[in-house]
Amino acid sequence: MRIIRLSLLLTLSAAGVGAATLDRNTGDGVYTAAQADEGAVIFEQVCMECHLPGWHDTTGFYAKWQGKPLRALGTYLKNEMPQTDPGVLTANEYAAVTAYLLRLTGNPPGAEPLSSDLDALATIRLDTARSAPTR
């Protein structure tokens, strides 16, 4: 019976049943300018000791995150950053830093702030537009 259940689970998973769909993308304006401004301050206080100016404009950043759910980046930041003390920021602070990263990678702001709920970010595809960043 256990094998049948596992087989059914694998079949449903392969068919995409239960998987989040990427209904929106970061080019749709998924954060606010004010939120990105707050993220810039946090980034300067917490992240700049390791991340030098221009780090976001590397092919590695684009290769790693392009086309993935925004939840992947949010989870990575929460679990891995800052390297000296992962998880030290609040959920809202991580969302603000994510908004700032979206702005740095050329994604436009919108009317609603980026959610701090990682599950809510699972339906948003990360597009890393290589336009001139705005601070």
Side-chain angles (χ1 to χ4, degrees):
M1 187 63 154
R2 179 176 270 170
I3 293 173
I4 293 171
R5 285 184 190 163
L6 179 59
S7 176
L8 178 60
L9 179 62
L10 290 173
T11 301
L12 291 174
S13 178
V17 175
T21 59
L22 300 176
D23 298 328
R24 298 168 45 199
N25 67 67
T26 53
D28 294 334
V30 298
Y31 68 92
T32 64
Q35 189 178 33
D37 291 343
E38 178 186 344
V41 172
I42 296 166
F43 191 91
E44 287 177 16
Q45 293 172 346
V46 178
C47 310
M48 286 295 286
E49 73 180 55
C50 295
H51 295 283
L52 300 173
W55 66 269
H56 63 278
D57 200 25
T58 64
T59 55
F61 181 83
Y62 295 95
K64 185 171 187 171
W65 301 114
Q66 177 71 31
K68 293 190 176 156
L70 190 52
R71 178 183 182 161
L73 177 59
T75 300
Y76 175 79
L77 294 175
K78 180 181 178 220
N79 293 336
E80 303 293 332
M81 296 292 144
Q83 287 182 345
T84 56
D85 196 7
V88 70
L89 302 177
T90 68
N92 286 335
E93 289 172 327
Y94 279 112
V97 169
T98 303
Y100 176 61
L101 296 178
L102 292 176
R103 181 167 67 189
L104 282 177
T105 56
N107 289 280
E112 297 293 322
L114 184 66
S115 177
S116 62
D117 177 12
L118 291 174
D119 288 336
L121 304 182
T123 62
I124 303 170
R125 184 184 70 242
L126 182 61
D127 285 338
T128 49
R130 287 180 176 237
S131 63
T134 56
R135 189 146 158 59

